[in-house]
């Protein structure tokens, strides 16, 4: 494992992503079909699509903040959580 | 409650392991590298988000990203309409069909580095067939090793030459799948050629065109070998596309941390644009 140069922050990031996928798997087994619906953006999305949009959107929110304002990153964290909430709630 | 058989997942397992081994684990390593500095020897020092911050504000990155979008935009704007036009003018049946298909497929069979080398020799101003012809017969000053505009024209033409065939073959496959009855109906209604194209051929080609646009976007956005062999990123930095710059940082300067940060941003852009293309082009399909 040493060649992978793990650090705790990156490990936590991946643990977060993989546990989100785990939660989605459990939800899918409990109620199959992915909770498909047509959301606010006019797209037909499933839970998985919403997670994908939340993660990709959050990456862009953090990168944009970092590029325009730099650290610290508390404000984009709040924006990213709002974005993810919006994704799961409306999209 | 409906019970579902989940055994099929076991058949996916080998592919999953393979993808984990050759894509997921290296990708995770890149994420780890992107927040650290290394001088080799497996020694790493925590840097946080410094590389990302530096990169997002670096003129060099903005310039190569801009060149990359310009290149991809230009080749898509040329290859997609040109590919459709060629596919529509190809015969649908008869003796010439296999001939046309083989001729179209030939450029795609040539490896990237060979294409680069071929076009290099072809366009060299004093000994290349095209270079010599333009300079010494037509008297047009053309030197892709010195002139930025000439270098750009050359890499664009090279990519169009290499990859338009992909769009042609995909569009052609879409075209020949249209039943004759559609054309007969259009003829009875007195539809113009343009109406036939707009309301029959284009909608029927939509699925294959989605794949063509996606493949051409991803391949051209990640292009490395051909422009590297042809111009080496020059003259100056004028044809240094994103991947050429990335390799310069990673292997030329051995700055693994900044290079890892750059590849993650690169990946995020490819992912977003591919997602947008795919979503917009399949949005109206009933799911």
């Amino acid at each position: 494992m040493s060649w992978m140069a793990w650090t705790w922050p990156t490990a936590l990031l991946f643990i977060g992503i993989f546990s989100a996928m785990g939660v989605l798997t459990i939800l899918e087994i409990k109620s199959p079909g992915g909770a498909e619906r047509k959301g606010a953006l006019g797209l037909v999305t499933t839970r998985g699509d919403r997670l994908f949009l939340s993660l990709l959107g959050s990456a862009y929110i953090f990168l944009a903040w970092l590029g325009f304002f730099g650290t610290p990153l508390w404000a984009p964290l709040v924006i990213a959580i709002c974005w993810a909430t919006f994704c799961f709630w409306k999209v | 409650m409906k019970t579902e058989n989940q055994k099929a997942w076991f058949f996916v397992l080998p592919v999953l392991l393979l993808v984990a081994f050759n894509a997921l684990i290296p990708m995770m390593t890149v994420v780890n590298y992107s927040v650290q500095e290394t001088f080799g020897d497996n020694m790493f020092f925590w840097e946080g988000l410094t590389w990302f911050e530096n990169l997002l504000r670096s003129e060099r990155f903005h310039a190569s990203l801009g060149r990359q979008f310009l290149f991809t935009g230009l080749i898509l704007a040329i290859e997609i309409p040109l590919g459709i036009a060629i596919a529509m003018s190809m015969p649908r049946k008869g003796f010439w069909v296999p001939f046309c298909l083989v001729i179209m497929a030939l450029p795609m069979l040539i490896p990237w580095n060979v294409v680069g080398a071929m076009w290099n020799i072809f366009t060299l101003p004093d000994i290349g067939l095209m270079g010599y012809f333009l300079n010494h017969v037509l008297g047009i000053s053309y030197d892709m090793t010195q002139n930025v505009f000439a270098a750009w024209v050359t890499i664009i033409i090279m990519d169009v030459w290499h990859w338009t065939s992909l769009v042609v073959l995909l569009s052609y496959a879409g075209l020949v799948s249209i039943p004759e009855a559609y054309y007969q109906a259009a003829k009875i209604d007195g539809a113009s050629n343009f109406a036939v194209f707009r309301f029959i051929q284009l909608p029927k080609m939509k699925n294959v065109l989605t794949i063509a646009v996606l493949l051409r976007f991803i391949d051209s956005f990640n292009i490395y070998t051909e422009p590297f062999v042809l111009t080496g990123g020059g003259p100056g930095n004028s044809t240094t596309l994103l991947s050429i710059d990335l390799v310069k940082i990673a292997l030329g300067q051995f700055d693994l941390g900044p290079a890892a940060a750059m590849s993650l941003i690169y990946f995020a852009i490819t992912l977003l644009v591919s997602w947008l293309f795919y979503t917009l082009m399949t949005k109206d399909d009933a799911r």
Side-chain angles (χ1 to χ4, degrees), chain B residues 137-258:
Chain B
V137 179
L138 294 183
I140 302 166
S141 170
Y142 165 87
D143 186 351
M144 58 92 186
T145 61
Q146 301 288 329
N147 180 287
V148 173
F149 183 71
W152 267 86
V153 169
T154 314
I155 60 170
I156 298 282
I157 296 179
M158 175 178 63
D159 198 81
V160 168
W161 176 85
H162 196 185
W163 287 112
T164 305
S165 307
L166 181 79
V167 184
V168 173
L169 294 180
L170 284 168
S171 309
Y172 186 75
L175 278 176
V176 292
S177 72
I178 302 174
E180 197 56 39
Y182 280 72
Y183 292 112
Q184 288 161 357
K187 208 170 185 181
I188 291 167
D189 288 344
S192 65
N193 280 340
F194 179 76
V196 171
F197 173 70
R198 171 69 188 79
F199 296 105
I200 298 176
Q201 292 172 323
L202 207 54
K204 283 282 171 187
M205 282 193 289
K206 206 178 103 181
N207 286 338
V208 285
L209 278 180
T210 308
I211 297 171
V213 170
L214 266 180
L215 283 178
R216 279 321 296 139
F217 167 74
I218 296 171
D219 275 353
S220 67
F221 205 74
N222 296 345
I223 194 167
Y224 175 77
T225 320
E226 294 155 300
F228 181 74
V229 175
L230 182 66
T231 64
N237 270 333
S238 60
T239 55
T240 302
L241 303 173
L242 262 187
S243 57
I244 298 179
D245 209 19
L246 179 63
V247 173
K248 272 188 192 168
I249 295 174
L251 302 179
Q253 302 162 211
F254 204 69
D255 281 331
L256 291 183

Side-chain angles (χ1 to χ4, degrees), chain B:
Chain B
M1 197 177 129
K2 201 174 76 176
T3 54
E4 286 188 20
N5 187 346
Q6 306 284 5
K7 268 188 201 137
W9 289 108
F10 287 106
F11 295 104
V12 187
L13 204 62
V15 173
L16 200 68
L17 285 177
L18 194 68
V19 170
F21 197 73
N22 73 13
L24 201 59
I25 292 175
M27 176 91 194
M28 285 157 96
T29 313
V30 169
V31 174
N32 293 341
Y33 275 26
S34 72
V35 292
Q36 298 179 84
E37 167 74 297
T38 181
F39 305 103
D41 215 17
N42 229 3
M43 292 266 286
F44 291 92
F45 304 93
W46 174 254
E47 283 286 346
L49 295 168
T50 319
W51 304 138
F52 288 94
E53 203 172 344
N54 291 349
L55 193 71
L56 289 166
R57 291 174 184 174
S58 116
E59 296 280 324
R60 174 178 168 179
F61 177 67
H62 294 168
S64 53
L65 186 65
R67 286 191 287 267
Q68 186 65 65
F69 272 114
L70 181 66
F71 176 76
T72 299
L74 283 173
I75 68 108
L76 282 181
I78 296 173
E79 286 176 18
I80 302 294
L82 183 66
I84 296 174
I86 294 177
M88 289 185 41
S89 52
M90 270 165 61
R92 308 276 156 77
K93 45 175 121 48
F95 173 76
W96 291 104
V97 171
F99 179 78
C100 288
L101 288 178
V102 169
I103 289 288
M104 277 296 142
L106 271 180
M108 292 195 296
L109 300 177
I110 302 171
W112 288 265
N113 51 354
V114 178
V115 171
M118 265 171 58
W119 277 80
N120 191 342
I121 297 166
F122 183 51
T123 54
L124 278 176
D126 288 321
I127 58 165
L129 180 61
M130 180 176 131
Y132 186 87
F133 185 74
L134 284 178
N135 277 304
H136 301 286
V137 179
L138 294 183
I140 302 166
S141 170
Y142 165 87
D143 186 351
M144 58 92 186
T145 61
Q146 301 288 329
N147 180 287
V148 173
F149 183 71
W152 267 86
V153 169
T154 314
I155 60 170
I156 298 282
I157 296 179
M158 175 178 63
D159 198 81
V160 168
W161 176 85
H162 196 185
W163 287 112
T164 305
S165 307
L166 181 79
V167 184
V168 173
L169 294 180
L170 284 168
S171 309
Y172 186 75
L175 278 176
V176 292
S177 72
I178 302 174
E180 197 56 39
Y182 280 72
Y183 292 112
Q184 288 161 357
K187 208 170 185 181
I188 291 167
D189 288 344
S192 65
N193 280 340
F194 179 76
V196 171
F197 173 70
R198 171 69 188 79
F199 296 105
I200 298 176
Q201 292 172 323
L202 207 54
K204 283 282 171 187
M205 282 193 289
K206 206 178 103 181
N207 286 338
V208 285
L209 278 180
T210 308
I211 297 171
V213 170
L214 266 180
L215 283 178
R216 279 321 296 139
F217 167 74
I218 296 171
D219 275 353
S220 67
F221 205 74
N222 296 345
I223 194 167
Y224 175 77
T225 320
E226 294 155 300
F228 181 74
V229 175
L230 182 66
T231 64
N237 270 333
S238 60
T239 55
T240 302
L241 303 173
L242 262 187
S243 57
I244 298 179
D245 209 19
L246 179 63
V247 173
K248 272 188 192 168
I249 295 174
L251 302 179
Q253 302 162 211
F254 204 69
D255 281 331
L256 291 183
M262 183 169 167
S263 16
L264 289 178
I265 294 176
Y266 198 161
F267 175 62
I269 296 171
T270 314
L271 199 58
L272 178 70
V273 179
S274 306
W275 180 83
L276 280 177
F277 270 136
Y278 184 78
T279 310
L280 292 178
M281 292 182 83
T282 56
K283 197 170 173 245
D284 305 324
D285 298 356
R287 282 226 227 158

